[in-house]
Amino acid sequence: MAEWLRQPIARRSALTLGAGALASSPLWAQLLVDLGFSQGDGRRPLTDAFPGKRGMILQRARAPLLETPMAAFDGELGASTFTPNDRFFVRWHYADIPLSVDVDAFRLQVGGAVNRPLSLSLKQVQALPQVEIAAVNQCSGNSRGLFGPRVPGAQWGNGAIGNALWTGVRLRDLLERAGVAPGAVQVQFAGLDRPPGDAPWFAKSLTIDHARADEVIVAYGMNGTQLPLLNGFPLRLIVPGWFSTYWVKALDRITVLSAPDTGYWMDKAYRIPATPRASVVPGAKDFPTVPIGRMLPRAFFTRADAGGVRGIALGGDAGVAKVEWSIDGGKSWHAAQLGHDAGRYGFRRWAASVPPGAQTVAVRTTNTSGATQRFDPIWNPGGYMRNSIETMKVTQA
Ligand SMILES: Nc1nc2c(c(=O)[nH]1)N[C@H]1C(S)=C(S)[C@@H](COP(=O)(O)O)O[C@H]1N2
Ligand SMILES: [Mo]
């Protein structure tokens, strides 16, 4: 067991967030990144103003939306694929987020349709068998700013994503200890953040079968240390292969349901068209929807230089089978080199040397289930599930 896990999780001091914190960081407004949107202003300030974070793209201060610059993902083929905790993106829906957590008083409740409701201290959670998994956390709306026509919501570039090594316990082990009652259909998750007024709590649910899957864990560790407060300290749900709307942060309430969750965040929000590629004609409104779920394969550029192009790839809900590049608009494809495989749900590094000259390089991932990427973009009103092929203009000597 890693040394930090034998120690009790450290008590966290309060975070200072918002305008004051931003004002105290004089450089933040001067450093701009351009997310390169074809419509609208893609320029955003870089900020160091959030505790435990540095060099983040400021999308919104309250509730925090911090994007990771693509350069933070860059590295040699053999480099670690894990996104450092201090560069990991941040997304909260409600401004009332936990700014400190009393780790001695904290309890994880497991209740609802169970035989023995549990109220567990962090020590009791940590006493369960420990598991570890590399998995990509990606916002459903990652790349929303690239949608055309534009859609409302956070105008993310490609950096509402990150890969970490998560340490924790199987959700199944917690459910077994509580004893799931017959007739249970779903399991619902909620955390320490609170909505304003009468707004619904942020709660998300998985089917009982998914909740019992091997890879679904309640994590207390991220890249070998405790979770940053902004990424869900002290516990968060990890649902490998699925979009992070289900990865409930500051998780303190697990409720086994005997009827499907009809709450706002399952029934109204985070739904995608029940169509191929979750795509509809721009402007369409009346179409059947389903809750968003599994992720799709993607490849991103992190750098182009005299040595060629390189980047990161993910398989979605399956491993990366191959990454290919094209300089003729997709008529011919060539295999990119792949880096180390840290697990099917993690990032995989890729690199390619392209011939000399000025050209547009396209790159695509195919996963082990055979799903791949296409050039034509999708559209849906939520701005979800973008995975069209990324391109980059390069001039090679
Ligand atoms: N408690 C809580 N968990 C949450 C959310 C939230 O608003 N509250 N947002 C979800 C969404 S939509 C995303 S994209 C991820 C972001 O995870 P991160 O901030 O660790 O990157 O958290 C998820 N878990
Ligand atoms: Mo999200």
Side-chain angles (χ1 to χ4, degrees):
M1 197 191 282
E3 189 54 39
W4 64 272
L5 284 176
R6 284 198 220 103
Q7 311 294 325
I9 289 180
R11 191 183 300 271
R12 276 308 178 102
S13 57
L15 288 181
T16 9
L17 296 178
L22 291 174
S24 70
S25 177
L27 273 182
W28 74 274
Q30 294 158 33
L31 300 170
L32 289 176
V33 272
D34 194 336
L35 297 172
F37 300 154
S38 56
Q39 332 155 66
D41 187 356
R43 286 172 305 167
R44 301 282 185 280
L46 277 177
T47 178
D48 289 339
F50 290 77
K53 299 286 166 185
R54 67 186 171 90
M56 301 299 292
I57 298 169
L58 181 66
Q59 291 277 8
R60 183 178 71 193
R62 241 173 90 90
L65 292 180
L66 309 177
E67 175 166 346
T68 305
M70 294 314 283
F73 299 121
D74 187 51
E76 302 282 327
L77 258 196
S80 161
T81 58
F82 297 123
T83 312
N85 290 2
D86 61 356
R87 307 304 302 277
F88 211 95
F89 88 99
V90 174
R91 194 264 191 271
W92 292 89
H93 289 82
Y94 295 136
D96 185 359
I97 62 174
L99 300 179
S100 67
V101 176
D102 180 341
V103 295
D104 298 322
F106 178 89
R107 293 290 180 276
L108 172 64
Q109 314 282 348
V110 185
V114 297
N115 302 323
R116 295 171 297 278
L118 307 176
S119 176
L120 302 174
S121 68
L122 285 172
K123 274 207 179 108
Q124 288 174 310
V125 173
Q126 291 192 340
L128 294 174
Q130 183 185 309
V131 291
E132 219 170 46
I133 191 165
V136 171
N137 174 19
Q138 180 180 210
C139 181
S140 314
N142 191 25
S143 317
R144 184 185 286 119
L146 302 166
F147 266 64
R150 297 185 74 178
V151 290
Q155 299 299 301
W156 297 113
N158 285 333
I161 192 170
N163 181 37
L165 184 63
W166 309 97
T167 307
V169 300
R170 286 205 173 88
L171 174 60
R172 185 175 64 210
D173 288 347
L174 288 164
L175 294 174
E176 256 166 35
R177 271 161 185 78
V180 173
V185 294
Q186 287 186 354
V187 182
Q188 187 192 55
F189 309 91
L192 295 171
D193 46 334
R194 292 290 172 267
D198 295 335
W201 283 33
F202 184 77
K204 296 294 296 188
S205 297
L206 297 176
T207 65
I208 186 79
D209 290 345
H210 194 175
R212 283 173 164 146
D214 261 1
E215 75 275 10
V216 178
I217 73 171
V218 172
Y220 44 75
M222 177 173 173
N223 292 328
T225 186
Q226 62 188 28
L227 297 161
L229 203 38
L230 286 168
N231 298 105
F233 179 85
L235 297 176
R236 87 176 298 173
L237 192 71
I238 305 299
V239 190
W242 276 41
F243 282 104
S244 50
T245 177
Y246 296 95
W247 300 38
V248 173
K249 301 194 282 187
L251 173 69
D252 72 338
R253 207 172 287 217
I254 298 176
T255 311
V256 177
L257 304 178
S258 40
D261 186 348
T262 54
Y264 174 83
W265 294 102
M266 289 298 294
D267 235 26
K268 300 282 185 295
Y270 288 107
R271 298 182 69 93
I272 55 172
T275 57
R277 303 179 75 214
S279 194
V280 292
V281 175
K285 282 197 181 73
D286 293 318
F287 46 83
T289 63
V290 290
I292 197 168
R294 68 194 181 92
M295 297 193 291
L296 300 172
R298 299 189 75 174
F300 300 100
F301 293 89
T302 60
R303 183 175 164 133
D305 62 19
V309 286
R310 66 188 192 191
I312 47 167
L314 71 147
D317 68 339
V320 171
K322 60 180 175 184
V323 174
E324 298 163 293
W325 58 274
S326 173
I327 49 170
D328 57 11
K331 287 202 267 305
S332 58
W333 291 96
H334 318 274
Q337 273 181 282
L338 286 182
H340 166 72
D341 184 358
R344 63 191 297 213
Y345 298 112
F347 279 157
R348 196 85 186 262
R349 292 194 179 279
W350 62 268
S353 355
V354 295
Q359 52 220 333
T360 297
V361 185
V363 64
R364 74 172 182 197
T365 296
T366 302
N367 74 19
T368 52
S369 305
T372 190
Q373 299 183 252
R374 288 167 44 160
F375 279 101
D376 50 330
I378 61 156
W379 192 91
N380 56 63
Y384 297 138
M385 304 277 287
R386 182 181 163 97
N387 83 321
S388 44
I389 291 171
E390 303 288 330
T391 59
M392 190 178 214
K393 289 199 175 86
V394 301
T395 308
Q396 295 297 87

